[in-house]
Structure formats: structure tokens, C-alpha cells
Amino acid sequence: MNLEEKILDKGFVRLVDMMGDDYAAVKAARVSYGQGLKTPERDKALIMYLMEHGHETPFEHIVFTFHVKAPLFVARQWFRHRIGSFNEISQRYTEIKEEEFYIPENIRINVPEDRQKAIVVDDTELLEKVKEAMVKTFEEAYHTYKELLNMGVARELARVVLPLSTYTQFYWTVNARSLMNFLSLRADSHAQWEIEQYAIAIAKMFKATCPWTYEAFVKYAYRGDILEA
């Protein structure tokens, strides 16, 4: 199954590998009674029952591996979800390209009543000023980075001048139970807009590969406010 979605201006999410599906959770649950698959209707009903009553360990037997390209600040939020495995591209061994910086498509401001919340401002003039300032900073940082490399400075040291907007890539292997926790927290209006876009894309892939589990999740366990069955 080839599932891929472009995210932000230069990012993406690809589902590169998968072990198990809805039936894997059913089989894992029924092994307690020495039983296996039955009819599709009864198997789906079991998934609904498990999710409704918080019996989530069977969903750990569904495992996904994603290839993600995202800005560093998104990756650092992502890596806080520790029940999963990450392997990230190394800036010690690879040289960053000039175009590998995230430029936002919208501008947000904080609101006094909520220190965490940011709202989008529909101000084209402000957006252009912000983008111009950011691009100037990125160009200066990259110029310094290249100067350091040309001076013979090691990549592992030269990289410290690069901003959080720099794109990185990583592999993320995660079971469905942990994936659902990620979606509850990141496919939500309280999450930062950028990581929210990645979470929405992953939710689509989750729904496409495990439709029963996704439906049960949204109905009984999802704590966010964006996803729909």
C-alpha cells in the first residue's frame, strides 16, 4: 500500500511499512479464550467493545512505520511521544541544503487569556513582512553555515547556527495504541498548527489501513476535537 501526503511547504508523511490490521487486534484479544477470528460483524463488534471499555493492549499488535520530513521544531514535539522508535537523519553526516527551511503560510498571534493558544491572523501585509524577515534570517544562517564548512569546520559543529525551521527526516515505528494517543494530543486545535497537519495526515492513513479500529477510536477514545469517523 503506497500512502503518502505532502505536508507544509516541503514536508511529507509516508507509510513505508505495516504489520497487522484490524484482525490482528481481534486475534490478540481472543487468544485469551483460545479463540480466533469469527464473522466480520462479530470481529468488528469486538473492536468496538475493546475500545469502549478501555481494553487497549490488543491494539499494540498493529504496528506502523512512517517516513516523515518535518521542520526541527515539529520533530522535537513529535519525539516527546516516547512509546515508539525513532531514527533521524544526522546533520553530522549530511550537509544541509539551502532550500531546506520551513516558511509558514499563515501568521498566528498569542491571546492574553491562554498562554498556549495561538490564533491565525488574516493580515497579508503582516504575513509578507514576517516571511521576509524569516527568509533573511535563514539566508544569513545558511551563509554562515557554508562559510564554516568551507573553513574546514566539522558538520557537527557548523550545524549549531541553523534555525529550528530547518527540515529534518526520520523514521517512526509505533503501535496503534500509541498512535491513537499521538492523535488525541496532536490532531487537536490546541496543538501547534504545523504538527496538527501531520497528525491529520497520519489519521487518514490510520483510517485507510484499520477502518474498524479508527472508527472505534474516534467514537470511544479520541480526546481531540478535529477528527471525524
Side-chain angles (χ1 to χ4, degrees):
M1 181 176 293
N2 183 21
L3 293 178
E4 177 178 350
E5 187 159 338
K6 303 294 184 183
I7 314 292
L8 305 183
D9 56 344
K10 306 176 186 75
F12 60 73
V13 173
R14 296 173 183 152
L15 179 60
V16 297
D17 205 357
M18 183 177 177
M19 181 184 76
D21 52 17
D22 289 325
Y23 291 108
V26 172
K27 289 184 285 187
R30 288 215 179 103
V31 75
S32 300
Y33 299 94
Q35 299 177 359
L37 300 178
K38 297 184 179 179
T39 66
E41 292 75 19
R42 294 180 68 181
D43 292 342
K44 181 178 180 179
L46 175 58
I47 284 180
M48 294 293 173
Y49 177 88
L50 293 170
M51 198 74 72
E52 181 179 9
H53 293 87
H55 302 307
E56 297 181 350
T57 53
F59 300 105
E60 295 177 11
H61 296 274
I62 308 170
V63 181
F64 303 86
T65 296
F66 297 96
H67 181 188
V68 180
K69 181 179 180 181
L72 280 170
F73 68 89
V74 171
R76 296 303 166 257
Q77 293 178 25
W78 207 313
F79 291 2
R80 292 173 64 87
H81 296 266
R82 291 184 289 274
I83 303 179
S85 299
F86 294 92
N87 276 87
E88 185 178 12
I89 192 171
S90 174
Q91 293 178 355
R92 293 183 65 194
Y93 308 135
T94 61
E95 184 176 326
I96 302 302
K97 296 179 181 178
E98 185 174 7
E99 66 273 13
E100 290 297 285
F101 299 98
Y102 167 60
I103 302 173
E105 63 184 66
N106 62 55
I107 296 300
R108 281 147 278 155
I109 62 171
N110 290 114
V111 292
E113 62 271 19
D114 188 339
R115 295 177 61 184
Q116 181 180 352
K117 187 176 182 181
I119 59 173
V120 175
V121 177
D122 186 15
D123 188 330
T124 303
E125 183 178 354
L126 176 60
L127 174 61
E128 291 307 312
K129 287 182 178 179
V130 170
K131 289 169 67 174
E132 182 179 347
M134 287 184 173
V135 169
K136 181 181 179 180
T137 300
F138 301 159
E139 290 176 345
E140 290 176 352
Y142 188 76
H143 178 73
T144 302
Y145 171 72
K146 291 294 289 185
E147 275 193 330
L148 293 173
L149 292 178
N150 292 333
M151 291 164 58
V153 175
R155 287 183 293 269
E156 66 182 44
L157 184 57
R159 63 179 172 169
V160 303
V161 302
L162 296 173
L164 284 172
S165 61
T166 308
Y167 269 93
T168 187
Q169 296 187 41
F170 58 91
Y171 265 45
W172 180 42
T173 298
V174 61
N175 66 55
R177 185 182 188 183
S178 296
L179 178 71
M180 290 185 285
N181 180 64
F182 173 84
L183 293 178
S184 280
L185 295 172
R186 302 301 183 178
D188 180 78
S189 62
H190 295 88
Q192 184 165 344
W193 183 84
E194 283 81 3
I195 197 169
E196 182 185 318
Q197 306 314 302
Y198 285 90
I200 292 171
I202 285 174
K204 292 178 184 177
M205 297 178 189
F206 183 31
K207 182 177 183 179
T209 53
C210 298
W212 295 349
T213 303
Y214 177 87
E215 181 182 346
F217 164 64
V218 172
K219 185 174 183 179
Y220 295 116
Y222 175 55
R223 302 187 301 277
D225 56 8
I226 292 176
L227 301 181
E228 297 179 354

